[in-house]
Amino acid sequence: MRFSSDTPLPQTRRAWNRAALALALSPWLSPGAQAQVLSSSAEAAKGPRWQSNPFSLGIASGQPQPGSVVLWTRLVITEADAALKAQTISVVCEVFADAALRQPVRQWRVQTDAGRAHSVHVMAQGLQPGRHYWYRFVCGNAISPVGHARTSPGVNDAVDRLRIALASCQHYEQGFYVAHREMAQRELDLVLFVGDYIYESSNPQYMLRKHQGGVPKQLDEYRDRHAQYKTDADLQACHAAHTWAMTWDDHEVVNDYANDLDRDYTDAQVFLRRRAAAYQAYFEHMPVRLGPDPANGSQMRIHDRMAWGRLADLWTLDCRQYRDHQACPDPNRGGGRVVMGCEALADSSRTMLGLAQEQWLTDGLTSSTKRWKLVAQATQMSPSGINTPLGRSTYTDAWDGYPQARARFLNTVAQARLQNVVVLGGDVHMNVAAKLRVQPNDENSAVVASELVTTSITSRGMPEKLLGQIRDSNPDILHARADERGYTFIEVKPDGISATFRSTPNPAQADAVLKTQAQFQIQSGIAGLTPS
Ligand SMILES: [Fe+2]
């Protein structure tokens, strides 16, 4: 913990007014949590005299827009400061234009309390587009580490590149976050995390380090799980170094859940209470703009769209909250499974995204004027079934289990003649480069989009024998490797995209160094990928 010195906090009346207007437009903030711009430097030093560091979970920035970014922290109150647990605590967030913190830009005071696990979300507005900022939080005599954040470029700005680190699936027990260590050290514009940030369950076979507590079901248990993940120094460093854009998959709640149904066929009302607890804890630990719907805590909007100047539109989709239940389930255990001859797959009314999100995506895609259309979502869109003597197998939890919804998406791309659509995913614990056709694996069906799936940060991949059968049965898959852990570096330029799979052999050991597994190029105007 570092202790505060007096920091100059100049503010103008106009800036205060802008902040007040911004707050009025932020309905997700409870009245007690609304930010106020500070009026004097003395105020910043007011507050608790901490005995132990309240900033031990780090800091984060996320959901950049041209004039804003979300800044996050959560106060940890140990027994040494137990008297503070029941209090409303005031936290100051300071934003600077330089890494040395000599040029203050703005600062806000935010109230937080136990009702939001003492988390702090500041919608830092009134910033310049396409700019780098540095930020920290101050609470009484405690000062947080300094984070780096950036805003996205102006929507009509000519931008010559966007550098993304695509990541997913970071089971704490199954490896170390060496991928985050490398991501933290390299220059990036965005970390794009597409789900399985925490895991609710354990696999006793793979345990390099241990979860505390059992499988979370209640709010406090989900909070503890998130907090444990956030103690990791490499993960904290990656949050401090970069602004993140995020969506979730299933493990943020429970494996293979679909909408209001879990694998145990728990009563929907009971399961939705668990989902509400998981969503609340997710919000409390992430740099995201919106929390659970105040009128219905089991609903929380995570899907979003952002632009990177004229270069790219980036969608982050929600593949869990609104989807139809998996087709042809086992009556004894729900969730995904491998099926053959499942007629329900042909039902055109089934959706992966829910009709509203699907329509929103279609409208956005077909009206986008950006060079690249990057569609980030949780899982693999290209086919991964296996041809067997009895027919073709289908795994029902992934896009293969929602083939009509996938066809609608790719038909939209084909019929609107959209160019430069790239689907980005995770979930399957392997690096994948694939062509996307309206009719998967059919050479007579044109390739209309390209797909990059990143391997997991730590979570174990499937056996090579099974993966070999998947490769043999799916010519649309150009590359598939499940034996390494890491992330994918994606550099988007006007004339092309370059993707580099950075990984280390399974498992990710504490001192591992990543290497390049493979590289692929996507040329502007040509759907599909070529190895380089
Ligand atoms: Fe996963």
Side-chain angles (χ1 to χ4, degrees):
M1 176 169 60
R2 290 176 301 144
F3 291 85
S4 62
S5 58
D6 280 343
T7 310
L9 301 165
Q11 276 300 326
T12 64
R13 173 58 57 181
R14 232 172 89 223
W16 195 93
N17 286 339
R18 277 203 304 272
L21 176 65
L23 283 168
L25 299 172
S26 303
W28 61 274
L29 284 168
S30 61
Q34 289 194 353
Q36 289 182 318
V37 173
L38 288 184
S39 56
S40 83
S41 60
E43 275 190 65
K46 281 188 204 161
R49 314 307 293 176
W50 293 91
Q51 302 301 311
S52 73
N53 179 15
F55 294 112
S56 59
L57 301 184
I59 50 166
S61 66
Q63 281 191 300
Q65 293 289 325
S68 70
V69 65
V70 178
L71 303 177
W72 170 92
T73 192
R74 179 193 164 192
L75 304 176
V76 173
I77 305 176
T78 68
E79 286 310 309
D81 296 301
L84 292 168
K85 284 184 183 172
Q87 295 180 19
T88 296
I89 302 175
S90 182
V91 182
V92 174
C93 176
E94 303 174 324
V95 173
F96 300 84
D98 64 325
L101 312 187
R102 291 201 186 91
Q103 300 170 49
V105 175
R106 307 194 72 172
Q107 54 284 132
W108 295 263
R109 180 181 291 282
V110 182
Q111 308 291 327
T112 187
D113 58 30
R116 50 193 293 150
H118 296 97
S119 63
V120 174
H121 293 78
V122 172
M123 183 75 184
Q125 309 210 47
L127 305 179
Q128 297 295 312
R131 280 283 306 271
H132 296 266
Y133 291 97
W134 288 262
Y135 64 97
R136 67 180 180 183
F137 296 88
V138 181
C139 183
N141 64 333
I143 304 185
S144 77
V146 175
H148 165 253
R150 60 164 308 161
T151 51
S152 57
V155 288
N156 291 316
D157 289 358
V159 179
D160 58 6
R161 69 175 177 186
L162 163 60
R163 295 160 301 179
I164 295 172
L166 176 66
S168 76
C169 298
Q170 52 185 22
H171 201 300
Y172 184 84
E173 295 181 326
Q174 296 187 7
F176 293 89
Y177 294 161
V178 290
H180 285 302
R181 194 178 308 156
E182 181 172 299
M183 286 149 67
Q185 285 164 5
R186 74 183 300 164
E187 281 197 28
L188 294 171
D189 297 304
L190 268 185
V191 171
L192 179 57
F193 198 92
V194 291
D196 292 350
Y197 189 98
I198 59 162
Y199 279 72
E200 84 291 358
S201 57
S202 295
N203 183 337
Q205 267 188 291
Y206 308 122
M207 214 167 265
L208 277 72
R209 45 185 182 169
K210 276 185 78 101
H211 282 154
Q212 292 158 6
V215 175
K217 289 192 168 175
Q218 308 291 331
L219 177 55
D220 282 351
E221 296 164 341
Y222 280 110
R223 284 170 169 166
D224 288 347
R225 182 57 49 85
H226 274 283
Q228 186 184 3
Y229 277 56
K230 279 282 197 309
T231 60
D232 184 278
D234 294 317
L235 179 58
Q236 284 194 12
C238 193
H239 275 297
H242 304 299
T243 295
W244 289 37
M246 310 183 64
T247 188
W248 53 35
D249 194 25
D250 52 340
H251 287 285
E252 283 86 352
V253 181
V254 65
N255 185 35
D256 276 8
Y257 88 89
N259 197 320
D260 59 357
L261 189 70
D262 69 5
R263 295 206 310 176
D264 298 333
Y265 297 119
T266 302
D267 173 77
Q269 292 313 308
V270 174
F271 175 68
L272 287 174
R273 283 200 290 276
R274 181 181 187 183
R275 194 176 92 172
Y279 286 2
Q280 173 74 21
Y282 181 92
F283 167 69
E284 288 169 352
H285 292 82
M286 300 299 163
V288 294
R289 209 162 44 232
L290 299 172
D293 181 344
N296 180 348
S298 70
Q299 295 182 10
M300 176 173 150
R301 177 165 173 159
I302 192 80
H303 62 281
D304 196 18
R305 174 188 181 176
M306 58 173 284
W308 205 261
R310 297 209 300 259
L311 181 62
D313 263 324
L314 171 63
W315 286 265
T316 42
L317 304 183
D318 182 342
C319 293
R320 285 288 161 191
Q321 186 173 185
Y322 314 109
R323 68 155 74 186
D324 279 289
H325 300 159
Q326 291 93 349
C328 299
D330 182 329
N332 298 311
R333 199 208 70 172
R337 66 167 176 155
V338 177
V339 298
M340 281 190 272
C342 171
E343 288 183 11
L345 292 173
D347 180 351
S348 62
S349 71
R350 297 180 66 251
T351 81
M352 173 70 108
L353 304 174
L355 289 176
Q357 185 182 192
E358 191 175 305
Q359 190 60 51
W360 166 84
L361 175 63
T362 299
D363 292 346
L365 272 175
T366 52
S367 61
S368 170
T369 57
K370 309 302 181 189
R371 173 65 67 108
W372 294 95
K373 296 151 193 79
L374 310 176
V375 181
Q377 44 81 52
T379 188
Q380 181 181 345
M381 186 172 280
S382 51
S384 61
I386 295 172
N387 300 327
T388 79
L390 298 173
R392 187 171 168 92
S393 71
T394 299
Y395 180 58
T396 58
D397 190 60
W399 277 99
D400 272 350
Y402 299 80
Q404 301 295 331
R406 174 172 61 192
R408 276 196 300 278
F409 168 75
L410 293 167
N411 252 323
T412 296
V413 175
Q415 287 172 2
R417 298 182 188 281
L418 300 179
Q419 291 200 320
N420 298 344
V421 175
V422 182
V423 177
L424 306 173
D427 176 46
V428 290
H429 310 176
M430 57 179 170
N431 286 323
V432 177
K435 307 172 204 172
L436 293 170
R437 311 174 192 266
V438 177
Q439 298 297 329
N441 295 323
D442 180 350
E443 278 194 18
N444 297 317
S445 181
V447 177
V448 298
S450 319
E451 179 176 45
L452 292 161
V453 179
T454 192
T455 194
S456 53
I457 297 280
T458 53
S459 311
R460 302 288 169 126
M462 68 174 69
E464 176 57 28
K465 190 173 171 215
L466 174 59
L467 184 54
Q469 292 173 321
I470 290 175
R471 279 194 216 98
D472 292 347
S473 301
N474 295 282
D476 284 351
I477 295 179
L478 303 173
H479 177 92
R481 286 267 305 267
D483 58 324
E484 295 192 327
R485 314 277 67 89
Y487 73 98
T488 302
F489 176 67
I490 299 170
E491 185 162 42
V492 183
K493 292 184 169 179
D495 59 348
I497 289 180
S498 153
T500 307
F501 296 126
R502 296 285 298 167
S503 55
T504 181
N506 191 34
Q509 297 290 353
D511 59 352
V513 175
L514 308 187
K515 60 177 178 44
T516 294
Q517 179 187 94
Q519 279 186 302
F520 284 85
Q521 310 294 326
I522 304 169
Q523 213 179 312
S524 177
I526 303 174
L529 309 96
T530 52
S532 57

